Amino acid sequence: LERITVKLVEWAAANGAGTKLLFGITTPEMCDGSLDAVVRSNNRAAMAIMSKHGVPTVDLHAAITSQCGAAPSPKCFNQTSCFCPHCTQANGIG
């Protein structure tokens, strides 16, 4: 991720002021707390890399867990047994 970030930052700088980078922090693994621990660890590493290179982030993990609670969580956005890893209820709208 470090090497990719460096290349993208260089590419963005070479393409002028209109080019901006943004990194999305991975969403939680809502069905398995131990897998989500790996996700959180990887997210911390990614945030450190992005911070080092001045790339802003959008924390999708925090956005989900602030609404649904920490993993594991069987219910999220009023859907039960969903997001494991995808929601098949209501045609994926939940």
Side-chain angles (χ1 to χ4, degrees), residues 5-92:
T5 303
V6 167
K7 289 193 177 289
L8 286 172
V9 167
E10 290 170 353
W11 173 82
N15 282 293
T19 304
K20 298 183 191 278
L21 299 175
L22 179 67
F23 186 83
I25 300 300
T26 303
T27 58
E29 174 57 59
M30 292 306 293
C31 302
D32 188 321
S34 62
L35 287 177
D36 192 55
V38 174
V39 170
R40 288 188 318 250
S41 176
N42 290 343
N43 283 347
R44 283 189 297 275
M47 286 190 283
I49 291 168
M50 296 306 138
S51 177
K52 177 180 173 181
H53 296 286
V55 177
T57 60
V58 175
D59 192 344
L60 302 172
H61 191 282
I64 299 294
T65 57
S66 71
Q67 295 296 311
C68 301
S73 180
K75 187 171 183 178
C76 188
F77 296 111
N78 297 318
Q79 299 288 324
T80 302
S81 298
C82 200
F83 306 103
C84 296
H86 304 288
C87 186
T88 58
Q89 300 172 9
N91 294 321

